[in-house]
PDB file of all heavy atoms in Angstrom:
ATOM      1  N   ALA A  60      64.223 282.684 187.944  1.00  0.00           N
ATOM      2  CA  ALA A  60      63.579 283.484 186.883  1.00  0.00           C
ATOM      3  C   ALA A  60      62.071 283.215 186.899  1.00  0.00           C
ATOM      4  O   ALA A  60      61.610 282.160 186.433  1.00  0.00           O
ATOM      5  CB  ALA A  60      64.179 283.141 185.516  1.00  0.00           C
ATOM      6  N   LYS A  62      59.677 284.169 185.253  1.00  0.00           N
ATOM      7  CA  LYS A  62      58.976 283.967 183.973  1.00  0.00           C
ATOM      8  C   LYS A  62      58.785 282.486 183.639  1.00  0.00           C
ATOM      9  O   LYS A  62      57.872 282.134 182.917  1.00  0.00           O
ATOM     10  CB  LYS A  62      59.707 284.673 182.823  1.00  0.00           C
ATOM     11  CG  LYS A  62      61.083 284.114 182.557  1.00  0.00           C
ATOM     12  CD  LYS A  62      61.661 284.637 181.259  1.00  0.00           C
ATOM     13  CE  LYS A  62      62.238 286.023 181.374  1.00  0.00           C
ATOM     14  NZ  LYS A  62      63.498 286.088 182.170  1.00  0.00           N
ATOM     15  N   ALA A  63      59.645 281.622 184.173  1.00  0.00           N
ATOM     16  CA  ALA A  63      59.541 280.197 183.836  1.00  0.00           C
ATOM     17  C   ALA A  63      58.276 279.579 184.420  1.00  0.00           C
ATOM     18  O   ALA A  63      57.661 278.694 183.807  1.00  0.00           O
ATOM     19  CB  ALA A  63      60.777 279.442 184.336  1.00  0.00           C
ATOM     20  N   ASP A  81      64.457 286.730 189.846  1.00  0.00           N
ATOM     21  CA  ASP A  81      64.711 287.565 188.668  1.00  0.00           C
ATOM     22  C   ASP A  81      63.348 287.883 188.069  1.00  0.00           C
ATOM     23  O   ASP A  81      62.606 286.971 187.695  1.00  0.00           O
ATOM     24  CB  ASP A  81      65.567 286.777 187.665  1.00  0.00           C
ATOM     25  CG  ASP A  81      65.613 287.430 186.294  1.00  0.00           C
ATOM     26  OD1 ASP A  81      65.736 288.661 186.216  1.00  0.00           O
ATOM     27  OD2 ASP A  81      65.524 286.693 185.287  1.00  0.00           O
ATOM     28  N   SER A 104      65.218 292.463 185.416  1.00  0.00           N
ATOM     29  CA  SER A 104      65.778 292.398 184.062  1.00  0.00           C
ATOM     30  C   SER A 104      64.727 292.854 183.050  1.00  0.00           C
ATOM     31  O   SER A 104      63.568 293.064 183.405  1.00  0.00           O
ATOM     32  CB  SER A 104      66.177 290.963 183.722  1.00  0.00           C
ATOM     33  OG  SER A 104      67.079 290.435 184.669  1.00  0.00           O
ATOM     34  N   ARG A 151      73.494 295.326 181.446  1.00  0.00           N
ATOM     35  CA  ARG A 151      73.491 294.023 180.768  1.00  0.00           C
ATOM     36  C   ARG A 151      74.265 294.164 179.487  1.00  0.00           C
ATOM     37  O   ARG A 151      73.904 294.954 178.613  1.00  0.00           O
ATOM     38  CB  ARG A 151      72.066 293.564 180.462  1.00  0.00           C
ATOM     39  CG  ARG A 151      72.068 292.270 179.657  1.00  0.00           C
ATOM     40  CD  ARG A 151      70.721 291.634 179.573  1.00  0.00           C
ATOM     41  NE  ARG A 151      70.705 290.509 178.652  1.00  0.00           N
ATOM     42  CZ  ARG A 151      69.618 289.813 178.364  1.00  0.00           C
ATOM     43  NH1 ARG A 151      68.457 290.127 178.931  1.00  0.00           N
ATOM     44  NH2 ARG A 151      69.675 288.813 177.510  1.00  0.00           N
ATOM     45  N   ILE A 164      65.102 281.901 171.219  1.00  0.00           N
ATOM     46  CA  ILE A 164      65.505 282.057 172.620  1.00  0.00           C
ATOM     47  C   ILE A 164      67.009 282.202 172.791  1.00  0.00           C
ATOM     48  O   ILE A 164      67.554 282.060 173.871  1.00  0.00           O
ATOM     49  CB  ILE A 164      64.946 280.907 173.518  1.00  0.00           C
ATOM     50  CG1 ILE A 164      65.316 279.523 172.972  1.00  0.00           C
ATOM     51  CG2 ILE A 164      63.435 281.005 173.659  1.00  0.00           C
ATOM     52  CD1 ILE A 164      64.889 278.356 173.880  1.00  0.00           C
ATOM     53  N   HIS A 201      73.206 287.448 179.749  1.00  0.00           N
ATOM     54  CA  HIS A 201      72.385 286.230 179.613  1.00  0.00           C
ATOM     55  C   HIS A 201      72.347 285.950 178.121  1.00  0.00           C
ATOM     56  O   HIS A 201      71.883 286.777 177.350  1.00  0.00           O
ATOM     57  CB  HIS A 201      70.972 286.490 180.155  1.00  0.00           C
ATOM     58  CG  HIS A 201      69.994 285.403 179.797  1.00  0.00           C
ATOM     59  ND1 HIS A 201      69.905 284.228 180.513  1.00  0.00           N
ATOM     60  CD2 HIS A 201      69.092 285.298 178.793  1.00  0.00           C
ATOM     61  CE1 HIS A 201      68.964 283.455 179.961  1.00  0.00           C
ATOM     62  NE2 HIS A 201      68.465 284.082 178.920  1.00  0.00           N
ATOM     63  N   GLY A 203      71.056 283.198 176.434  1.00  0.00           N
ATOM     64  CA  GLY A 203      69.995 282.397 175.828  1.00  0.00           C
ATOM     65  C   GLY A 203      69.507 281.334 176.791  1.00  0.00           C
ATOM     66  O   GLY A 203      69.994 281.237 177.922  1.00  0.00           O
ATOM     67  N   SER A 204      68.548 280.576 176.324  1.00  0.00           N
ATOM     68  CA  SER A 204      67.876 279.598 177.170  1.00  0.00           C
ATOM     69  C   SER A 204      67.976 278.220 176.525  1.00  0.00           C
ATOM     70  O   SER A 204      68.225 278.115 175.321  1.00  0.00           O
ATOM     71  CB  SER A 204      66.418 280.032 177.295  1.00  0.00           C
ATOM     72  OG  SER A 204      65.752 279.331 178.311  1.00  0.00           O
ATOM     73  N   GLN A 205      67.726 277.168 177.327  1.00  0.00           N
ATOM     74  CA  GLN A 205      67.831 275.784 176.851  1.00  0.00           C
ATOM     75  C   GLN A 205      69.206 275.544 176.212  1.00  0.00           C
ATOM     76  O   GLN A 205      69.338 275.024 175.105  1.00  0.00           O
ATOM     77  CB  GLN A 205      66.669 275.431 175.898  1.00  0.00           C
ATOM     78  CG  GLN A 205      66.616 273.988 175.381  1.00  0.00           C
ATOM     79  CD  GLN A 205      66.666 272.936 176.509  1.00  0.00           C
ATOM     80  OE1 GLN A 205      66.494 273.233 177.664  1.00  0.00           O
ATOM     81  NE2 GLN A 205      66.922 271.696 176.160  1.00  0.00           N
ATOM     82  N   GLY A 239      73.198 285.395 184.423  1.00  0.00           N
ATOM     83  CA  GLY A 239      71.962 285.012 183.738  1.00  0.00           C
ATOM     84  C   GLY A 239      71.504 283.603 184.085  1.00  0.00           C
ATOM     85  O   GLY A 239      71.932 282.990 185.065  1.00  0.00           O
ATOM     86  N   GLY A 240      70.599 283.100 183.234  1.00  0.00           N
ATOM     87  CA  GLY A 240      70.091 281.734 183.420  1.00  0.00           C
ATOM     88  C   GLY A 240      70.525 280.925 182.224  1.00  0.00           C
ATOM     89  O   GLY A 240      71.600 281.148 181.678  1.00  0.00           O
ATOM     90  N   GLY A 241      69.680 280.006 181.798  1.00  0.00           N
ATOM     91  CA  GLY A 241      69.928 279.387 180.501  1.00  0.00           C
ATOM     92  C   GLY A 241      70.270 277.922 180.477  1.00  0.00           C
ATOM     93  O   GLY A 241      70.198 277.302 179.405  1.00  0.00           O
ATOM     94  N   LEU A 242      70.659 277.337 181.634  1.00  0.00           N
ATOM     95  CA  LEU A 242      71.024 275.913 181.598  1.00  0.00           C
ATOM     96  C   LEU A 242      69.836 275.074 181.126  1.00  0.00           C
ATOM     97  O   LEU A 242      68.724 275.204 181.645  1.00  0.00           O
ATOM     98  CB  LEU A 242      71.484 275.463 182.996  1.00  0.00           C
ATOM     99  CG  LEU A 242      71.871 273.989 183.110  1.00  0.00           C
ATOM    100  CD1 LEU A 242      73.041 273.656 182.182  1.00  0.00           C
ATOM    101  CD2 LEU A 242      72.219 273.628 184.545  1.00  0.00           C
ATOM    102  N   TYR A 246      64.781 267.117 177.311  1.00  0.00           N
ATOM    103  CA  TYR A 246      63.373 266.891 176.969  1.00  0.00           C
ATOM    104  C   TYR A 246      63.175 265.484 176.424  1.00  0.00           C
ATOM    105  O   TYR A 246      62.108 264.913 176.547  1.00  0.00           O
ATOM    106  CB  TYR A 246      62.889 267.943 175.948  1.00  0.00           C
ATOM    107  CG  TYR A 246      62.632 269.290 176.584  1.00  0.00           C
ATOM    108  CD1 TYR A 246      63.582 270.305 176.563  1.00  0.00           C
ATOM    109  CD2 TYR A 246      61.427 269.546 177.238  1.00  0.00           C
ATOM    110  CE1 TYR A 246      63.351 271.527 177.163  1.00  0.00           C
ATOM    111  CE2 TYR A 246      61.177 270.769 177.849  1.00  0.00           C
ATOM    112  CZ  TYR A 246      62.139 271.754 177.797  1.00  0.00           C
ATOM    113  OH  TYR A 246      61.897 272.969 178.410  1.00  0.00           O
ATOM    114  N   GLU A 276      70.376 283.491 187.314  1.00  0.00           N
ATOM    115  CA  GLU A 276      68.929 283.652 187.093  1.00  0.00           C
ATOM    116  C   GLU A 276      68.329 282.401 186.452  1.00  0.00           C
ATOM    117  O   GLU A 276      67.733 282.473 185.378  1.00  0.00           O
ATOM    118  CB  GLU A 276      68.686 284.848 186.163  1.00  0.00           C
ATOM    119  CG  GLU A 276      69.296 286.154 186.620  1.00  0.00           C
ATOM    120  CD  GLU A 276      69.276 287.224 185.535  1.00  0.00           C
ATOM    121  OE1 GLU A 276      68.892 286.947 184.376  1.00  0.00           O
ATOM    122  OE2 GLU A 276      69.661 288.363 185.847  1.00  0.00           O
ATOM    123  N   PRO A 277      68.482 281.245 187.072  1.00  0.00           N
ATOM    124  CA  PRO A 277      67.952 280.034 186.432  1.00  0.00           C
ATOM    125  C   PRO A 277      66.432 279.945 186.545  1.00  0.00           C
ATOM    126  O   PRO A 277      65.852 280.282 187.566  1.00  0.00           O
ATOM    127  CB  PRO A 277      68.601 278.903 187.249  1.00  0.00           C
ATOM    128  CG  PRO A 277      68.829 279.498 188.600  1.00  0.00           C
ATOM    129  CD  PRO A 277      69.090 280.960 188.382  1.00  0.00           C
ATOM    130  N   GLY A 278      65.813 279.494 185.484  1.00  0.00           N
ATOM    131  CA  GLY A 278      64.372 279.277 185.500  1.00  0.00           C
ATOM    132  C   GLY A 278      64.079 277.831 185.161  1.00  0.00           C
ATOM    133  O   GLY A 278      63.754 276.997 186.000  1.00  0.00           O
ATOM    134  N   ARG A 279      64.277 277.513 183.858  1.00  0.00           N
ATOM    135  CA  ARG A 279      63.944 276.188 183.338  1.00  0.00           C
ATOM    136  C   ARG A 279      64.577 275.043 184.149  1.00  0.00           C
ATOM    137  O   ARG A 279      63.906 274.071 184.465  1.00  0.00           O
ATOM    138  CB  ARG A 279      64.425 276.105 181.883  1.00  0.00           C
ATOM    139  CG  ARG A 279      63.949 274.862 181.164  1.00  0.00           C
ATOM    140  CD  ARG A 279      64.626 274.732 179.781  1.00  0.00           C
ATOM    141  NE  ARG A 279      64.679 275.965 179.039  1.00  0.00           N
ATOM    142  CZ  ARG A 279      63.837 276.306 178.072  1.00  0.00           C
ATOM    143  NH1 ARG A 279      62.855 275.507 177.721  1.00  0.00           N
ATOM    144  NH2 ARG A 279      63.988 277.456 177.442  1.00  0.00           N
ATOM    145  N   SER A 280      65.880 275.185 184.448  1.00  0.00           N
ATOM    146  CA  SER A 280      66.577 274.062 185.094  1.00  0.00           C
ATOM    147  C   SER A 280      66.043 273.805 186.505  1.00  0.00           C
ATOM    148  O   SER A 280      66.296 272.744 187.074  1.00  0.00           O
ATOM    149  CB  SER A 280      68.085 274.324 185.130  1.00  0.00           C
ATOM    150  OG  SER A 280      68.341 275.612 185.674  1.00  0.00           O
ATOM    151  N   ARG A 315      54.639 275.304 173.580  1.00  0.00           N
ATOM    152  CA  ARG A 315      56.017 275.054 173.157  1.00  0.00           C
ATOM    153  C   ARG A 315      56.137 274.201 171.891  1.00  0.00           C
ATOM    154  O   ARG A 315      56.931 274.527 171.004  1.00  0.00           O
ATOM    155  CB  ARG A 315      56.856 274.462 174.300  1.00  0.00           C
ATOM    156  CG  ARG A 315      56.868 275.350 175.566  1.00  0.00           C
ATOM    157  CD  ARG A 315      57.933 274.959 176.565  1.00  0.00           C
ATOM    158  NE  ARG A 315      59.263 275.283 176.071  1.00  0.00           N
ATOM    159  CZ  ARG A 315      60.097 274.429 175.558  1.00  0.00           C
ATOM    160  NH1 ARG A 315      59.774 273.155 175.494  1.00  0.00           N
ATOM    161  NH2 ARG A 315      61.257 274.816 175.083  1.00  0.00           N
ATOM    162  N   TYR A 319      57.925 276.435 169.115  1.00  0.00           N
ATOM    163  CA  TYR A 319      59.355 276.145 168.898  1.00  0.00           C
ATOM    164  C   TYR A 319      59.582 274.766 168.298  1.00  0.00           C
ATOM    165  O   TYR A 319      60.722 274.302 168.260  1.00  0.00           O
ATOM    166  CB  TYR A 319      60.134 276.181 170.219  1.00  0.00           C
ATOM    167  CG  TYR A 319      59.817 277.315 171.147  1.00  0.00           C
ATOM    168  CD1 TYR A 319      59.173 277.093 172.350  1.00  0.00           C
ATOM    169  CD2 TYR A 319      60.186 278.633 170.826  1.00  0.00           C
ATOM    170  CE1 TYR A 319      58.894 278.129 173.226  1.00  0.00           C
ATOM    171  CE2 TYR A 319      59.909 279.675 171.690  1.00  0.00           C
ATOM    172  CZ  TYR A 319      59.257 279.425 172.887  1.00  0.00           C
ATOM    173  OH  TYR A 319      58.989 280.441 173.757  1.00  0.00           O
ATOM    174  N   ALA A 373      58.300 274.346 183.116  1.00  0.00           N
ATOM    175  CA  ALA A 373      58.826 275.669 182.756  1.00  0.00           C
ATOM    176  C   ALA A 373      58.219 276.123 181.433  1.00  0.00           C
ATOM    177  O   ALA A 373      58.139 275.338 180.488  1.00  0.00           O
ATOM    178  CB  ALA A 373      60.347 275.619 182.611  1.00  0.00           C
ATOM    179  N   TYR A 374      57.816 277.373 181.378  1.00  0.00           N
ATOM    180  CA  TYR A 374      57.262 277.962 180.150  1.00  0.00           C
ATOM    181  C   TYR A 374      56.062 277.156 179.640  1.00  0.00           C
ATOM    182  O   TYR A 374      55.834 277.050 178.439  1.00  0.00           O
ATOM    183  CB  TYR A 374      58.351 278.110 179.065  1.00  0.00           C
ATOM    184  CG  TYR A 374      59.559 278.860 179.591  1.00  0.00           C
ATOM    185  CD1 TYR A 374      60.776 278.227 179.844  1.00  0.00           C
ATOM    186  CD2 TYR A 374      59.470 280.214 179.874  1.00  0.00           C
ATOM    187  CE1 TYR A 374      61.863 278.911 180.368  1.00  0.00           C
ATOM    188  CE2 TYR A 374      60.561 280.915 180.393  1.00  0.00           C
ATOM    189  CZ  TYR A 374      61.749 280.253 180.631  1.00  0.00           C
ATOM    190  OH  TYR A 374      62.819 280.935 181.148  1.00  0.00           O
ATOM    191  N   GLN A 378      52.812 280.392 179.674  1.00  0.00           N
ATOM    192  CA  GLN A 378      52.596 280.811 178.285  1.00  0.00           C
ATOM    193  C   GLN A 378      51.210 280.384 177.784  1.00  0.00           C
ATOM    194  O   GLN A 378      50.927 280.451 176.585  1.00  0.00           O
ATOM    195  CB  GLN A 378      53.684 280.229 177.369  1.00  0.00           C
ATOM    196  CG  GLN A 378      55.090 280.740 177.699  1.00  0.00           C
ATOM    197  CD  GLN A 378      56.079 280.498 176.559  1.00  0.00           C
ATOM    198  OE1 GLN A 378      56.494 281.425 175.869  1.00  0.00           O
ATOM    199  NE2 GLN A 378      56.464 279.259 176.348  1.00  0.00           N
TER     200      GLN A 378
HETATM  201  N1  LLP B 501      67.421 285.722 182.654  1.00  0.00           N
HETATM  202  C1  LLP B 501      67.012 286.371 181.559  1.00  0.00           C
HETATM  203  C2  LLP B 501      67.437 287.732 181.335  1.00  0.00           C
HETATM  204  C3  LLP B 501      66.182 285.704 180.623  1.00  0.00           C
HETATM  205  O1  LLP B 501      65.791 286.349 179.531  1.00  0.00           O
HETATM  206  C4  LLP B 501      65.777 284.357 180.855  1.00  0.00           C
HETATM  207  C5  LLP B 501      64.897 283.655 179.929  1.00  0.00           C
HETATM  208  C6  LLP B 501      66.226 283.740 182.049  1.00  0.00           C
HETATM  209  C7  LLP B 501      67.072 284.449 182.915  1.00  0.00           C
HETATM  210  C8  LLP B 501      65.849 282.328 182.403  1.00  0.00           C
HETATM  211  O2  LLP B 501      66.388 281.441 181.496  1.00  0.00           O
HETATM  212  P1  LLP B 501      66.257 279.847 181.757  1.00  0.00           P
HETATM  213  O3  LLP B 501      67.140 279.509 182.931  1.00  0.00           O
HETATM  214  O4  LLP B 501      64.843 279.564 182.054  1.00  0.00           O
HETATM  215  O5  LLP B 501      66.720 279.255 180.499  1.00  0.00           O
HETATM  216  N2  LLP B 501      59.668 280.510 176.346  1.00  0.00           N
HETATM  217  C9  LLP B 501      60.909 279.868 175.986  1.00  0.00           C
HETATM  218  C10 LLP B 501      62.053 280.321 176.879  1.00  0.00           C
HETATM  219  C11 LLP B 501      62.241 281.815 176.921  1.00  0.00           C
HETATM  220  C12 LLP B 501      63.382 282.234 177.815  1.00  0.00           C
HETATM  221  C13 LLP B 501      63.399 283.698 178.007  1.00  0.00           C
HETATM  222  N3  LLP B 501      64.412 284.197 178.895  1.00  0.00           N
HETATM  223  C14 LLP B 501      60.721 278.353 175.995  1.00  0.00           C
HETATM  224  O6  LLP B 501      59.617 277.877 176.243  1.00  0.00           O
HETATM  225  O7  LLP B 501      61.676 277.615 175.736  1.00  0.00           O
END
Side-chain angles (χ1 to χ4, degrees):
K62 64 169 80 70
D81 167 42
S104 304
R151 175 168 172 183
I164 54 175
H201 168 82
S204 193
Q205 183 53 14
L242 179 61
Y246 284 97
E276 305 168 354
R279 189 188 316 261
S280 51
R315 303 194 70 258
Y319 316 111
Y374 307 108
Q378 296 197 108

